Amino acid sequence: MWNELQGKFDKFSSVLPMSRFDSRNKPLNLPWSNSKLKRMRRNKDAAWNSFVGCPTKENYSYAFIKDEMYADEEFRLKSNYEKKLTNNLKTNCKGFYSYLRNKRQLKTGVPTLEKSDGSRTSSPAESAEALAEAFSSVFVQEPENLPRVEKPVVESEGDVYVM
């Protein structure tokens, strides 16, 4: 049965298009992306992969330089894209508000947590209760009948200072 399922999966995976993602699980086709940035990204990834394969100081410095070059170019392109959106705001506000809407959306939620009894939470409310229970076990309730400590009074030539 497993072999049959694996065979069907292989048939589907050979036909379905694959989407490319970077290491942070972001798609490579960002609105400000261009072919030069994509090429720099591939070069950076290749440099880091060569460092992982052969961790030498030269490979690390080369990968680090490629990383910085990519980050600088991405920042420059993103800044230019955002400036273009704001400059065209009066004539074409749709792109600007679309960009804002994508930035505003919450993309991650609270994961399922393991409760003290070993079971997993199934809803956000249960996760909140599990977190509250964990935090309350760490913090200590102070007793209400603690003695009060008065602030010391320091006198100085006619003036009274309270510390």
Side-chain angles (χ1 to χ4, degrees), residues 9-23:
F9 180 73
D10 289 340
K11 286 180 185 177
F12 286 127
S13 63
S14 66
V15 176
L16 293 175
M18 298 297 286
S19 178
R20 294 195 51 196
F21 286 90
D22 70 358
S23 61

Side-chain angles (χ1 to χ4, degrees), residues 19-24 26-30 33-51 62-63 65-67 69-71 73-74:
S19 178
R20 294 195 51 196
F21 286 90
D22 70 358
S23 61
R24 290 171 289 169
K26 289 182 358 186
L28 288 176
N29 55 353
L30 299 169
S33 183
N34 59 19
S35 60
K36 180 182 176 186
L37 186 69
K38 289 178 183 180
R39 189 171 38 255
M40 290 177 80
R41 176 66 192 206
R42 285 192 298 269
N43 290 340
K44 177 185 80 103
D45 289 343
W48 281 114
N49 286 337
S50 69
F51 171 70
Y62 180 72
I65 289 169
K66 289 289 187 182
D67 201 328
M69 288 172 51
Y70 173 79
E73 182 68 14
E74 184 182 29

Side-chain angles (χ1 to χ4, degrees), residues 2 7-9 12 16 34 41 48 51 55 59 67 75 82 88 96 99 110 114 119 130-131 136 141 143 145 153 155:
W2 172 251
K8 288 182 180 181
F9 180 73
F12 286 127
L16 293 175
N34 59 19
R41 176 66 192 206
W48 281 114
F51 171 70
N59 284 349
D67 201 328
F75 179 77
E82 290 173 348
N88 295 336
F96 176 75
Y99 182 69
V110 178
E114 187 173 331
S119 63
L131 286 172
S136 66
Q141 287 278 1
N145 55 357
V153 177
E155 294 183 20

Side-chain angles (χ1 to χ4, degrees), residues 110-130:
V110 178
T112 59
L113 302 172
E114 187 173 331
K115 294 193 270 184
S116 59
D117 61 357
S119 63
R120 308 282 296 175
T121 59
S122 60
S123 68
E126 280 186 51
S127 297
E129 289 173 10

